[in-house]
Amino acid sequence: MRPIAFCFALAAALALHAADFPGAQWDAASPGQLGLDEAKLAQARDYALTGEGSGAIVFRGRLAMSWGDPAALYDLKSSSKSIGVTVLGLALADGRVQLDDPAIEFHPTFGTPPESNSQTGWLGRITLRQLATQTAGFEKAGGYTGLLFAPGTRWHYSDGGPNWLAECLTLVYRRDLNDVLFERVFTPLGIAPADIRWRKHSYRPDLLEGIKRREFGSGFSANWNAMARLGLLYLRDGWWQGERILPHSFIEAVRTTAAGVRGLPVGDPAHYGNASEHYGLLWWNNGDGAIAGLPRDAFWSWGLFDSLIAAVPSLDLVAVRAGKSWKREAGAPHYAVLAPFLEPIAAAAKKSAAAPYPPSPVIAGIEWAGKETIVRKARGSDNWPMTWADDDALYTACGDGNGFEPHLKEKLSLGLAKISGGPADFLGANIRSASAEAKGEGRNGRKPSGILCVDGVLYLLTRNVANAQLGWSADHGATWTWADWKFTESFGCPSFVNFGKDYAGARDGFVYVFSPDAASAYERVDRMVLARAPKSALRERAAYEFLVRLDASGQPVWNRDMAQRGAIFTQPGKCYRSSMSFNAALQRYLWCHTGSGGDTRFAGGFAIYDAPEPWGPWTTAYYTDKWDTGPGETMHPPPKWMNADGLSLHLVFSGDDSFSVRQGTLKLGACVNNQNKR
């Protein structure tokens, strides 16, 4: 195998392996191999073992540490709520229910006995969402209990409410929910009957209309293997080995606290603290930062004896344990007993997980020329998406500025420019175009987000126009025609994948468009999405299809329905503005992301990820929390300014609100160097 080709294969294998899922057995790696702080993991494990039992820590899909008997099953108590609610996610995916449906629509005797509940007038108002957020009003016990308050007016921890939810879903499917979970979730995840079992209902009759009755309030016993696999399913947004098992909207509702729940009075605050600030759908969360050393996107199941299934998306981390209860201190906050377990694990992972994807085996890093070598022109203007056109010039566009010298008299939210020459001697010239130029500060003006030249025609993607719109010019930017359609959801800051001169060297006959999964360019979101259209039909909205997922062999699955879109890249709260260029010499796509800091114009960090295809698998070529100069909110490495060997490039970035250019030298990964030595 040729050296570079060998590394491409290895890169793909490593990325899929690190970001994928376990088979019959977990793939294990030492904390050191994963870049984790082993001493901190040991600290968390030792705390867990003060309550004996078993547990595991999974980082980037790999088993980093485990303890106790892996086969031992533990009574999970209220962690059962978080497992049982998975059936609600299935029912939502199947279109059988909606969260705000009244529960009584699915259960003719819902809420009774006792008959006193029917006399309150509240039963018809209780929704499935309220049963899952502990706001329905039922007393604590798991049997037939009374209603304490009108639904949605308080938060009160209950087993009875979740048990009514289980009954509603039993009647929705008219099947034993144990069978539903094994068929749809447990078996696909590699969880066997020996790993998890559901006891006979302890509080209500065994059968419901002739169907096995199950309880959500408690009742599951499981080993750490089953717990960790379920945690990984929730961590990965409901995906498992290329298949979506649970919908994104459900996972989002599980791990966050609904606006209607936050701030509600809490029943028994001495035991549950300010629970209404950090409770989703039968899962707890850290959305209010109650555990200071834990990321706010963390969420977990929690049962008596301190059984835990914890997921931290921003750290790509799952931690589970079960055993006996940990010792409490009188008067301590509700979450205090969890912090000595969860905080050291988060601390161990934070440095390694700063970049959401593993290191690239092809590109070991990038060395930047000294900051004194940075060339800055067009001061006061930013954005600068770029493309290499048929006339050998680079075409670009700026936002909120006066362009290149001599400056335009008026400040434009969208201005065009032509760049001639090489990175050492380039000249920028403004292009005047009445059909493209726009005015307006910030969000109020049309701005460029992507530009591409195909067959001598320039295509421009613009944002801040009630989402995004496409325009094109057949005369190198002088006049423009605008599409009579717009993206109406997501794709609020879209850009093109750029190849060589006039789209030479493209992987196929399609044009690829990527964006944060948001309708606004001013949100940092959790994931990036991808679309494509034939280059011959780029102007037609009906020609676009959207990446849904990768199949079991890593190949993309497309659908023309945008609502079916899936993620090609995830990093909670940090997916923002970006650009992607193809490095032909290395056969790698370089994707620049600028969401690593706050205001990155004058400080902050950025990342460059690489992959063999526009949809991944992504690895990290360069990542910094703080560059030695402000990277700006946009950047682009134009293919025209990449050397023939692919190892030298020039980054155009908008730092200091300028057209800023800096040379970078790519360092080859160990696998390339080792192959070259043979």
Side-chain angles (χ1 to χ4, degrees):
M1 183 180 290
R2 290 177 297 172
I4 297 295
F6 168 82
C7 284
F8 298 156
L10 180 58
L14 285 175
L16 282 170
H17 182 68
D20 207 3
F21 306 85
Q25 303 295 325
W26 287 90
D27 181 51
S30 70
Q33 288 174 316
L34 295 172
L36 298 167
D37 186 327
E38 186 168 4
K40 291 188 180 299
L41 294 189
Q43 178 184 340
R45 177 202 61 205
D46 293 346
Y47 175 76
L49 286 171
T50 63
E52 303 178 9
S54 302
I57 298 167
V58 175
F59 182 64
R60 290 179 174 161
R62 303 176 76 181
L63 182 64
M65 181 175 285
S66 64
W67 58 92
D69 182 353
L73 271 62
Y74 297 88
D75 185 353
L76 301 185
K77 298 299 184 184
S78 283
S79 274
S80 302
K81 296 177 174 68
S82 306
I83 299 173
V85 80
T86 304
V87 183
L88 178 58
L90 296 175
L92 290 167
D94 294 341
R96 293 174 179 256
V97 303
Q98 299 294 323
L99 282 177
D100 294 315
D101 288 341
I104 205 165
E105 290 186 2
F106 308 102
H107 196 320
T109 61
F110 171 74
T112 58
E115 289 302 322
S116 58
N117 284 344
S118 63
Q119 298 170 12
T120 64
W122 296 334
L123 287 178
R125 294 161 48 190
I126 296 173
T127 66
L128 301 181
R129 186 193 300 272
Q130 289 164 343
L131 292 173
T133 56
Q134 303 287 19
T135 60
F138 288 99
E139 295 176 16
K140 169 66 172 70
Y144 296 117
T145 58
L147 285 168
L148 299 173
F149 52 84
T153 61
R154 296 177 64 190
W155 188 98
H156 183 83
Y157 196 75
S158 169
D159 290 347
N163 285 351
W164 282 116
L165 177 61
E167 292 198 12
C168 291
L169 294 170
T170 296
L171 295 176
V172 164
Y173 281 102
R174 303 207 65 82
R175 295 179 62 193
D176 181 350
L177 296 186
N178 191 60
D179 294 340
V180 174
L181 280 173
F182 266 99
E183 178 184 300
R184 300 282 298 277
V185 181
F186 295 162
T187 300
L189 267 58
I191 299 173
D195 297 315
I196 192 168
R197 64 169 179 254
W198 213 342
R199 74 184 181 194
K200 180 180 178 180
H201 205 304
S202 293
Y203 304 101
R204 302 181 185 182
D206 188 48
L207 297 179
L208 172 64
E209 296 187 9
I211 308 164
K212 186 77 172 178
R213 184 186 254 115
R214 298 291 180 177
E215 56 179 307
F216 284 176
S218 190
F220 275 109
S221 294
N223 58 27
W224 70 249
N225 172 58
M227 297 168 71
R229 287 170 187 263
L230 285 163
L232 190 58
L233 172 68
Y234 277 83
L235 177 81
R236 295 287 164 77
D237 196 41
W239 287 93
W240 194 268
Q241 294 183 346
E243 297 291 334
R244 178 169 281 289
I245 293 177
L246 300 172
H248 168 72
S249 59
F250 168 72
I251 299 293
E252 191 69 11
V254 160
R255 67 185 183 92
T256 58
T257 303
V261 175
R262 288 197 298 269
L264 288 178
V266 174
D268 195 5
H271 283 90
Y272 298 104
N274 61 331
S276 62
E277 297 292 333
H278 46 232
Y279 198 80
L281 299 183
L282 297 181
W283 287 70
W284 301 87
N285 66 63
N286 197 42
D288 61 348
I291 300 180
L294 189 65
R296 290 192 177 219
D297 64 344
F299 61 107
W300 57 89
S301 75
W302 190 10
L304 187 65
F305 310 138
D306 295 319
S307 64
L308 288 174
I309 304 172
V312 189
S314 59
L315 300 181
D316 202 358
L317 174 73
V318 172
V320 302
R321 70 82 54 180
K324 297 179 181 179
S325 296
W326 291 317
K327 184 178 179 180
R328 266 93 169 145
E329 293 186 13
H334 182 223
Y335 274 180
V337 72
L338 304 179
F341 179 64
L342 295 175
E343 286 185 330
I345 297 173
K350 278 181 179 177
K351 182 176 181 180
S352 180
Y357 290 86
S360 169
V362 177
I363 302 171
I366 302 177
E367 293 180 351
W368 300 103
K371 63 181 181 180
E372 70 279 0
T373 67
I374 297 172
V375 177
R376 300 188 192 272
K377 295 188 178 182
R379 291 186 177 273
S381 303
D382 59 15
N383 279 15
W384 308 118
M386 302 185 73
T387 193
W388 189 2
D390 58 312
D391 62 356
D392 202 39
L394 292 171
Y395 286 83
T396 186
C398 69
D400 285 345
N402 303 86
F404 283 92
E405 301 79 359
H407 292 303
L408 304 176
K409 292 182 179 180
E410 61 270 63
K411 187 175 184 179
L412 300 177
S413 65
L414 193 163
L416 301 164
K418 176 181 178 179
I419 310 295
S420 56
D425 59 357
F426 70 89
L427 295 175
N430 299 315
I431 300 172
R432 303 309 305 266
S433 173
S435 51
E437 290 179 357
K439 298 179 182 179
E441 291 284 347
R443 302 167 186 252
N444 299 318
R446 179 193 292 266
K447 288 184 170 58
S449 61
I451 191 169
L452 186 70
C453 187
V454 181
D455 297 333
V457 176
L458 293 177
Y459 291 89
L460 183 66
L461 285 166
T462 61
R463 55 180 173 87
N464 300 4
V465 285
N467 208 319
Q469 188 176 24
L470 176 71
W472 54 88
S473 170
D475 53 12
H476 293 122
T479 59
W480 292 82
T481 302
W482 295 96
D484 59 2
W485 56 269
K486 297 177 182 178
F487 290 113
T488 55
E489 60 177 308
S490 188
F491 289 86
C493 188
S495 192
F496 296 109
V497 178
N498 265 268
F499 290 90
K501 179 179 177 181
D502 199 27
Y503 212 56
R507 75 174 309 281
D508 52 31
F510 288 91
V511 167
Y512 292 85
V513 178
F514 54 92
S515 173
D517 189 17
S520 168
Y522 297 88
E523 296 179 39
R524 284 172 167 80
V525 295
D526 294 348
R527 64 182 198 162
M528 307 291 287
V529 289
L530 182 69
R532 71 176 187 178
K535 67 178 185 178
S536 59
L538 187 55
R539 305 170 192 181
E540 303 169 17
R541 172 63 181 84
Y544 285 76
E545 52 187 5
F546 303 88
L547 186 134
V548 178
R549 59 181 172 83
L550 301 183
D551 64 20
S553 62
Q555 295 304 303
V557 176
W558 304 90
N559 194 303
R560 293 190 186 278
D561 180 5
M562 183 186 283
Q564 300 300 313
R565 69 190 182 278
I568 61 164
F569 181 99
T570 58
Q571 189 181 18
K574 293 189 177 181
C575 291
Y576 195 47
R577 301 175 189 174
S578 66
S579 73
M580 192 186 304
S581 298
F582 185 60
N583 186 317
L586 297 183
Q587 293 288 292
R588 301 295 280 181
Y589 292 84
L590 304 181
W591 196 0
C592 301
H593 284 238
T594 62
S596 299
D599 184 350
T600 57
R601 290 176 300 167
F602 308 109
F606 69 97
I608 300 179
Y609 303 99
D610 69 321
E613 296 286 4
W615 46 83
W618 297 101
T619 53
T620 305
Y622 182 82
Y623 190 99
T624 180
D625 290 323
K626 187 175 182 180
W627 212 21
D628 58 358
T629 189
E633 291 186 327
T634 58
M635 55 179 56
H636 181 80
K640 181 183 178 182
W641 290 353
M642 295 179 186
N643 281 11
D645 61 6
L647 299 182
S648 177
L649 54 74
H650 284 76
L651 187 70
V652 177
F653 60 103
S654 62
D656 202 23
D657 282 348
S658 302
F659 184 92
S660 302
V661 181
R662 189 176 194 177
Q663 183 183 11
T665 302
L666 277 59
K667 298 182 291 182
L668 289 179
C671 65
V672 178
N673 286 325
N674 290 340
Q675 285 291 311
N676 287 340
K677 292 175 183 177
R678 295 185 181 182

